[in-house]
Amino acid sequence: MTRQNLKGLDRGELTTFFASLNEPAFRARQLFRWMYGRAAQNFEEITDFAKPLRARLQEVATLETLTLETRQISHRRDAEKFLFRLMDGVHIESVLMHDQASNRPARHTLCISSQVGCPVDCKFCATGLMGLLRNLRPGEIVDQVLQAKRLSGSKALAGSPITNVVVMGMGEPMLNYDALLKACYLLGDAEGPNLAPRRIVISTSGIVPKIERFTKEGHKFRLAISLNATTDDVRNQIMPINRKYPIAALLQAAREYTRQSKQRVTFEYILLDSINDSLADAERLKILTRNIPCKINLIPYNPIAEAHQSSSGLETLLAYRRPSFERIEAFLANMREGQNTVTLRWSKGDDIDAACGQLWTKVEKAKILA
Ligand code: SAH
Ligand code: SF4
């Protein structure tokens, strides 16, 4: 008999499970707290359950857990990256970033993956190069937070709680919509990791019907959109998904989201040398976003490391470069003349391949070479 994995189940599903064992409903609540609130790894840790119940659970159920394969800490010690192995042997990445501004409480933001690989095929992205291997299940999405909490609490970067989650790792979250939202609600649960919905940001390449659904359903999680270009010509080139959902339709969906949710949307804009970083681009970006309550987050492109160069399809990736410091500054200064808040985010942990998909490509390459 295959054992049932309980990680990823919500309260109702856990109640049904315990009913099938003729156990009272409060067991579901106890397990929920242990599994999501205290990150229990196995039934033995759950001391609220008497030994016979733990043994019974061990027979019929599991708590599937991600296995840490590699952990890297950046030189500046402000970021660490986890490469996790899933039950079927595939890998995903999560990155934990520590932000110690003096004027507000420290932030510890975990960037999590939503899929293994990604089907969207953005030309500058290492994850895009992988294609889609499979969707993550709710338990695998939640477990990235639970494991990162456990790991970071005990090692070099002294005990950091996770205060924020951004779904900006591998994968397109809106193409794994149901699993992702279920996971976000588990992460937000007061008896689980207890993250306020405004501290969970879902980033999408612009899957318009899913943004519309997200808006209509009224979820309180924050939305970020990877805009990355100011003309359909350029966006078509670097993000082929734009052929299906062009800029005008995307911005309309973003506007509607802000109108109904009364929240600002964040536009991410990676800066690619000589592709989307001219002052004319900055002018267009201001005009495009003029009537949308938003923040604009400029991200200088994180080039794909030399180590990946011989993988197939990589030649296209290598065509992309980070603009010079002067060009980035000029773009930023121009954007600051507009009315929206603009921030420049240097990716933390450049030295640990912290950009999306980079560590994966390195490990897969090492496996191929081994
Ligand atoms: N699929 C979603 C979320 C994951 S990608 C999305 O595209 O929004 C998260 C962000 O990383 C996107 O804004 C993407 O444009 C950016 N990104 C991908 N590769 C990058 C790189 N090498 N350097 C900097 N940002 C990158
Ligand atoms: Fe997928 Fe986002 Fe990478 Fe595009 S940028 S390929 S949507 S992970």
Side-chain angles (χ1 to χ4, degrees):
M1 193 191 83
T2 52
R3 294 188 292 164
Q4 186 180 357
N5 172 32
L6 305 183
K7 200 175 278 173
L9 299 193
D10 59 24
R11 281 202 173 72
E13 291 163 332
L14 289 174
T15 308
T16 309
F17 167 77
F18 278 106
S20 75
L21 299 183
N22 289 321
E23 289 287 336
F26 71 83
R27 296 277 180 234
R29 186 162 181 206
Q30 285 176 312
L31 181 64
F32 191 97
R33 286 180 177 164
W34 276 91
M35 181 163 59
Y36 300 125
R38 302 174 70 164
Q41 302 278 82
N42 54 57
F43 299 116
E44 274 316 294
E45 288 182 23
I46 306 182
T47 46
D48 283 352
F49 290 168
K51 248 193 158 140
L53 177 58
R54 300 207 298 257
R56 179 86 201 283
L57 287 172
Q58 186 61 35
E59 264 168 39
V60 299
T62 57
L63 299 181
E64 278 184 12
T65 297
L66 309 180
T67 309
L68 182 69
E69 183 99 49
T70 321
R71 180 182 186 202
Q72 288 172 276
I73 298 178
S74 68
H75 293 319
R76 284 192 299 274
R77 309 182 78 72
D78 58 358
E80 56 185 317
K81 176 146 181 160
F82 307 104
L83 184 76
F84 292 117
R85 191 176 63 250
L86 310 185
M87 296 298 280
D88 56 355
V90 295
H91 293 89
I92 52 164
E93 306 166 346
S94 320
V95 181
L96 181 56
M97 293 159 286
H98 305 279
D99 193 357
Q100 316 270 5
S102 53
N103 55 347
R104 55 172 161 72
R107 244 191 247 162
H108 305 283
T109 304
L110 187 71
C111 174
I112 61 172
S113 297
S114 55
Q115 298 183 307
V116 188
C118 180
V120 177
D121 197 27
C122 302
K123 299 303 177 194
F124 51 80
C125 172
T127 305
L129 195 64
M130 295 167 61
L132 177 68
L133 272 63
R134 70 169 171 85
N135 276 331
L136 289 181
R137 293 188 288 267
E140 294 169 326
I141 299 173
V142 171
D143 207 33
Q144 294 171 62
V145 177
L146 303 179
Q147 295 309 319
K149 238 177 164 167
R150 271 181 93 107
L151 291 161
S152 67
S154 58
K155 292 259 171 63
L157 294 154
S160 28
I162 288 163
T163 58
N164 297 67
V165 163
V166 292
V167 190
M168 293 184 188
M170 295 162 74
E172 170 46 57
M174 292 293 184
L175 293 180
N176 188 14
Y177 189 92
D178 293 333
L180 193 264
L181 277 168
K182 187 177 184 195
C184 289
Y185 278 99
L186 291 172
L187 291 174
D189 196 289
E191 294 189 312
N194 195 19
L195 285 155
R198 67 174 192 286
R199 294 180 178 275
I200 300 178
V201 181
I202 300 172
S203 170
T204 176
S205 57
I207 314 293
V208 169
K210 292 295 170 54
I211 297 175
E212 291 168 347
R213 181 174 162 194
F214 184 78
T215 302
K216 205 160 108 216
E217 290 173 350
H219 305 289
K220 300 277 182 263
F221 311 111
R222 294 275 158 97
L223 184 68
I225 294 177
S226 301
L227 188 56
N228 295 347
T230 59
T231 64
D232 280 322
D233 269 358
V234 173
R235 201 163 189 271
N236 286 345
Q237 247 180 62
I238 61 174
M239 300 181 74
I241 190 78
N242 192 68
R243 294 177 197 277
K244 211 164 168 187
Y245 309 116
I247 292 177
L250 180 55
L251 293 181
Q252 179 51 34
R255 193 175 290 112
E256 193 53 26
Y257 163 78
T258 59
R259 211 176 59 78
Q260 292 203 27
S261 68
K262 312 227 170 354
Q263 298 290 340
R264 284 199 287 181
V265 65
T266 299
F267 289 112
E268 295 160 273
Y269 191 93
I270 59 170
L271 290 165
L272 299 162
D273 186 38
S274 306
I275 292 178
N276 66 358
D277 66 337
S278 68
L279 293 181
D281 280 303
E283 289 297 336
R284 275 192 297 267
L285 184 53
K286 282 187 293 194
I287 293 168
L288 286 174
T289 55
R290 196 164 43 193
N291 298 318
I292 306 177
C294 67
K295 281 187 285 191
I296 298 168
N297 199 352
L298 305 175
I299 313 166
Y301 182 62
N302 208 5
I304 308 305
E306 297 284 309
H308 310 309
Q309 281 194 21
S310 63
S311 309
S312 64
L314 221 57
E315 301 71 30
T316 39
L317 261 181
L318 290 168
Y320 297 105
R321 304 201 183 283
R322 173 179 288 190
S324 67
F325 188 69
E326 290 70 30
R327 273 179 88 90
I328 294 172
E329 286 287 301
F331 196 96
L332 176 66
N334 188 303
M335 287 301 299
R336 289 230 158 111
E337 289 162 15
Q339 59 179 30
N340 286 311
T341 313
V342 184
T343 52
L344 178 69
R345 190 182 79 204
W346 294 98
S347 4
K348 291 182 191 297
D350 298 14
D351 56 325
I352 55 169
D353 299 318
C356 182
Q358 291 193 3
L359 186 60
W360 183 90
T361 32
K362 202 178 246 180
V363 169
E364 287 306 298
K365 187 169 176 237
K367 277 207 313 215
I368 294 162
L369 295 178

